[in-house]
Amino acid sequence: WQVKDGGLTRSTRPLASGPSMGDMTLRPVLSDGVTASFASGDDPAALYKTFAEHGSFPSGSVSSADAGHGAVAVQTQLAAGAQATLSIVFAWHFPDRDFSHVILGNMYTELWSDSSAVATELATEAKLASVVKDINAHHYAIASPRAPPRGFAGRGRAPPSP
């Protein structure tokens, strides 16, 4: 794990390629008054204990070793009765998707160089809201009991607004 471009990234990219080789990023969505801290380690219970004691992760909590677990904490202060949404983007980049032991790849590798680039693009509340709207529209069209019959998509009804 390493802190990179405002997020916490773990790479599993060795010299050889394969479907489990790539990287993952946890990136907080920061705005006025929102802060983030990062940690990594091999014991998730120890990471949680640190978070429970401090409400964040002290400086130096990111291990330089190849730790199995990473964590991000976001925090802010609110006035009584105020509300806020705190978000963390989880992005991945595994370029060597396979099918029956044949590497086919993933189209998204043509659009982003790594998971940090994906997380950086998504790390605004406006972009996240847009993605959630798109996902909800897809779910409505594919899985909703109120969706139009197959072959009828695009005629008549629009999905409800989230």
Side-chain angles (χ1 to χ4, degrees), residues 51-126:
F51 174 75
E53 289 174 0
H54 301 280
S56 63
F57 298 105
S59 179
S61 292
V62 176
S63 171
S64 61
D66 187 23
H69 303 279
V72 176
V74 290
Q75 63 184 13
T76 192
Q77 291 188 0
L78 297 174
Q83 295 181 11
T85 298
L86 302 177
S87 300
I88 299 171
V89 172
F90 172 46
W92 58 90
H93 192 270
F94 289 89
D96 300 323
R97 178 179 58 95
D98 76 331
F99 178 77
S100 297
H101 306 289
V102 175
I103 301 293
L104 300 177
N106 279 306
M107 177 57 190
Y108 63 72
T109 63
E110 302 295 321
L111 305 172
W112 297 280
S113 59
D114 58 19
S115 62
S116 183
V118 176
T120 297
E121 183 174 322
L122 292 174
T124 69
E125 291 299 340

Side-chain angles (χ1 to χ4, degrees), residues 34-55:
V34 176
T35 60
S37 57
F38 308 95
S40 66
D42 284 323
D43 182 359
L47 291 174
Y48 180 75
K49 181 179 179 191
T50 299
F51 174 75
E53 289 174 0
H54 301 280

